[in-house]
Amino acid sequence: QGESNTARERRSPQRLLSGIADKARQDEHLTEFVAATVLTLVGLFFAWQAWLIISQASAIRQAEQVKTWEVRQLGEEVARIRARVQQGADSASVAKILATPSSDALQAAAVALKQDIPELTSAEFFRPDLSDVLTSNFAKFGYSKAAMLVQAHRLQRAGPLQSQVGSDKKRVLVLALPAARDKQLTGYAYVQMPIDPLLQVF
């Protein structure tokens, strides 16, 4: 019995050491698990951040592509409008009317241009030297209108297409341009047209 007690006493420290070792191994496994979990979460966080950056870069690229397309489409539509109005102002029928010495030739030419381009809201013609514009009362004639005609005269080509609010409070496109036939200046046209074709691009 004494020897048995001595053996138990010897085994007790061994069990204690074994228990401590087992506990240490469990703690080590727990520490590894916690570290692996933290690293996984950190990795997922960085992956999410990378996905956000890639998504943002993709959205920016797409927005730039849309912007480029929009500018090109708007430019093409503006060029089409300008070319159509210029062709009508330079037409033989309009030139023939403007060449007549009649006092209502300018008004008749405007009627002919509107018949040729039905979508025009309004059309007016002015003398080649713009004397009828420069001697007018700008407050009644319109400062913007006079400025556009003078700019077309200075450039000797159609000025920039502008957007203005018309007399009916609706927004319209406005263009001033020289009318010529066989390289002979016959007058200046000032036209208004709906803005819808440009709005449709948007």
Side-chain angles (χ1 to χ4, degrees), residues 178-193:
R181 187 69 180 175
D182 298 327
K183 297 183 179 180
Q184 293 294 320
L185 185 65
T186 56
Y188 285 88
Y190 178 85
V191 300
Q192 293 183 345
M193 65 204 81

Side-chain angles (χ1 to χ4, degrees), residues 31-81:
T31 302
E32 290 175 353
F33 175 75
V34 170
T37 302
V38 170
L39 288 174
T40 301
L41 291 175
V42 169
L44 289 173
F45 173 76
F46 282 117
W48 175 63
Q49 289 292 311
W51 178 79
L52 285 179
I53 293 170
I54 292 171
S55 299
Q56 186 177 14
S58 176
I60 291 172
R61 272 197 312 274
Q62 187 176 5
E64 287 296 326
Q65 289 173 354
V66 170
K67 180 181 176 182
T68 301
W69 175 86
E70 191 176 65
V71 169
R72 185 176 66 250
Q73 290 295 109
L74 284 172
E76 290 176 358
E77 184 62 25
V78 167
R80 185 193 68 78
I81 291 171

Side-chain angles (χ1 to χ4, degrees), residues 111-151:
V111 172
L113 182 60
K114 284 193 68 176
Q115 288 175 347
D116 188 38
I117 310 176
E119 62 265 29
L120 292 183
T121 305
S122 68
E124 295 177 80
F125 274 93
F126 301 92
R127 296 173 186 165
D129 60 359
L130 290 185
S131 58
D132 46 350
V133 175
L134 299 176
T135 57
S136 64
N137 182 346
F138 288 164
K140 292 182 180 179
F141 184 84
Y143 291 100
S144 176
K145 182 177 176 181
M148 289 184 68
L149 287 162
V150 169
Q151 185 180 31

